[in-house]
Amino acid sequence: MSDEFDPQELQRLKSKAISQPLVEHIYTADPSAHVFDGKIYIYPSHDIDAGIPFNDNGDHFGMQDYHVISMDNPEAKAVDHGVALDVNDVKWAERQMWAPDAAHKDGKYYLYFPAKKADGIFQIGVAVSDSPIGPFVPEPEAIKASYSIDPAVFEDDDGNYYMYWGGIWGGQLQHYRNNQYNASNQEPQDNEPALGPIVAKLSDDMLECAEAPKEIQILDENGQPILAGDHDRRFFEASWMHKYNGKYYFSYSTGDTHLICYATGDTPYGPFTYQGPILTPVVGWTTHHSICEFEGKWYLFYHDSILSEGVTHLRSVKMTEISYDANGKIQTLSPYQE
């Protein structure tokens, strides 16, 4: 969807929205939701109007800090716990605190976040707290093997943790091959396999990658890699992983076609076979999500730009219940009722 919306159409969509913003006093986006100690904690981006002109690299997304939002249950009022981490506290980071995620292990909470260094290249850092709401104390350096954007950390049943990341265009993934940066690298041709997201198991202390990062394959129904020209299905950004009935569900945004899609596999590394869309386009250019379970029900956390009347970089986090059919297929949702 474009940044230009007819005011009447915006009002119509607002009235048809399947859910309302969880908070309205600030703009929030890219929600990573987890249940820690029986309570929902959401780790979003904190959108601001940084006064930066729009461009395809997303420089107008000039976020500077992170807030943590909690909910006692899905029907409860969302509580903003204030600033949990500011870019000025991160020695290696200069700007653009984009979509974060969090994890919990042995009484410690870890906030993973991308930011641009002084050279304009994204890397991913980690900050630690004794509380799920922070404040978080950042490590002095970025995670060595990391690059690009949108970290998502998944705790598997065996106690291993995996970090997924990557995003093309402004996320810079197109400049990497085999974990090496080269500014001359670009997206593959339309008839070539699309670039996949990246995964690495985390170290026991949750502060580093325990292995060399690997590229994930997303396959079509015939077992062939999704092609770069297949914009309705190819990976763009916004990795997320959850597990349902023993299957690994990898979900992501298609970027310029504005879909949240998913693919399933048998290991945390994939390969993953494309299954379909979870969420059709929202108001605003970006779409970004997470999925978590609370007391036997599953919820999709996402954002749109209805509250800001269609301003793409001023978004609001929402949530809604999702359902699976008997075969484990996620039922596609529209963010606005027909």
Side-chain angles (χ1 to χ4, degrees):
M1 288 187 165
S2 72
D3 296 314
E4 300 299 325
F5 286 93
D6 175 76
Q8 286 186 322
E9 176 65 2
L10 268 173
Q11 286 305 311
R12 187 189 73 80
L13 290 173
K14 188 174 184 179
S15 70
K16 299 286 188 181
I18 61 172
S19 63
Q20 299 305 311
L22 295 182
V23 297
E24 296 190 3
H25 64 291
I26 58 173
Y27 289 111
T28 54
D30 312 323
S32 293
H34 296 271
V35 175
F36 296 140
D37 302 319
K39 192 171 176 178
I40 299 169
Y41 291 92
I42 306 161
Y43 300 85
S45 303
H46 175 204
D47 282 354
I48 58 171
D49 196 343
I52 298 168
F54 285 51
N55 60 40
D56 282 345
N57 286 327
D59 290 333
H60 48 294
F61 294 97
M63 300 88 94
Q64 298 173 348
D65 61 25
Y66 297 110
H67 288 227
V68 179
I69 295 167
S70 72
M71 302 171 72
D72 287 338
N73 58 67
E75 286 73 45
K77 180 178 173 59
V79 176
D80 173 13
H81 295 278
V83 175
L85 181 67
D86 188 284
V87 69
N88 294 321
D89 299 327
V90 184
K91 290 180 180 179
W92 62 268
E94 184 179 81
R95 63 190 189 278
Q96 289 178 285
M97 303 280 269
W98 283 10
D101 193 18
H104 170 250
K105 184 180 181 182
D106 297 337
K108 295 283 187 183
Y109 298 85
Y110 300 86
L111 183 69
Y112 298 86
F113 59 93
K116 275 185 180 172
K117 300 176 295 183
D119 60 6
I121 295 176
F122 272 110
Q123 207 163 353
I124 295 168
V126 58
V128 187
S129 178
D130 293 324
S131 167
I133 62 173
F136 288 88
V137 178
E139 292 293 296
E141 304 291 338
I143 297 173
K144 292 185 185 67
S146 71
Y147 52 92
S148 193
I149 61 168
D150 291 357
V153 176
F154 167 71
E155 179 186 359
D156 207 350
D157 301 331
D158 60 4
N160 285 313
Y161 290 77
Y162 300 85
M163 185 164 73
Y164 300 82
W165 72 82
I168 58 176
W169 296 16
Q172 304 174 343
L173 185 63
Q174 68 272 15
H175 298 316
Y176 289 84
R177 298 293 186 276
N178 299 315
N179 302 321
Q180 298 298 312
Y181 179 88
N182 185 328
S184 66
N185 289 333
Q186 298 299 326
E187 287 182 76
Q189 297 298 307
D190 283 355
N191 62 350
E192 296 177 335
L195 292 174
I198 307 299
V199 62
K201 185 186 291 186
L202 290 174
S203 57
D204 287 342
D205 65 6
M206 304 291 282
L207 303 179
E208 299 288 347
C209 294
E211 60 188 4
K214 302 173 175 65
E215 184 176 359
I216 290 170
Q217 275 200 315
I218 301 176
L219 308 176
D220 65 17
E221 64 278 10
N222 299 313
Q224 298 301 307
I226 299 286
L227 299 181
D230 187 352
H231 287 209
D232 283 338
R233 300 193 294 176
R234 65 91 166 84
F235 171 81
F236 187 97
E237 62 186 1
S239 297
W240 189 258
M241 175 65 75
H242 76 280
K243 206 170 183 178
Y244 178 78
N245 284 352
K247 275 275 187 188
Y248 295 88
Y249 284 64
F250 180 81
S251 48
Y252 58 95
S253 167
T254 61
D256 55 349
T257 50
H258 320 291
L259 298 168
I260 297 293
C261 293
Y262 77 106
T264 57
D266 297 321
T267 81
Y269 297 104
F272 298 99
T273 301
Y274 177 85
Q275 299 295 333
I278 298 173
L279 187 70
T280 58
V282 298
V283 169
W285 197 92
T286 70
T287 189
H288 194 123
H289 72 299
S290 60
I291 295 169
C292 79
E293 181 186 13
F294 186 88
E295 295 184 351
K297 294 185 176 182
W298 289 86
Y299 296 89
L300 176 74
F301 294 77
Y302 64 104
H303 68 236
D304 72 11
S305 296
I306 287 273
L307 186 63
S308 67
E309 299 186 342
V311 179
T312 276
H313 62 286
L314 297 178
R315 301 159 291 181
S316 298
V317 166
K318 298 181 166 188
M319 68 178 289
T320 191
E321 190 175 347
I322 60 170
S323 58
Y324 303 80
D325 70 14
N327 297 315
K329 215 165 170 55
I330 298 174
Q331 304 300 287
T332 304
L333 285 172
S334 168
Y336 316 102
Q337 297 166 341
E338 297 302 326

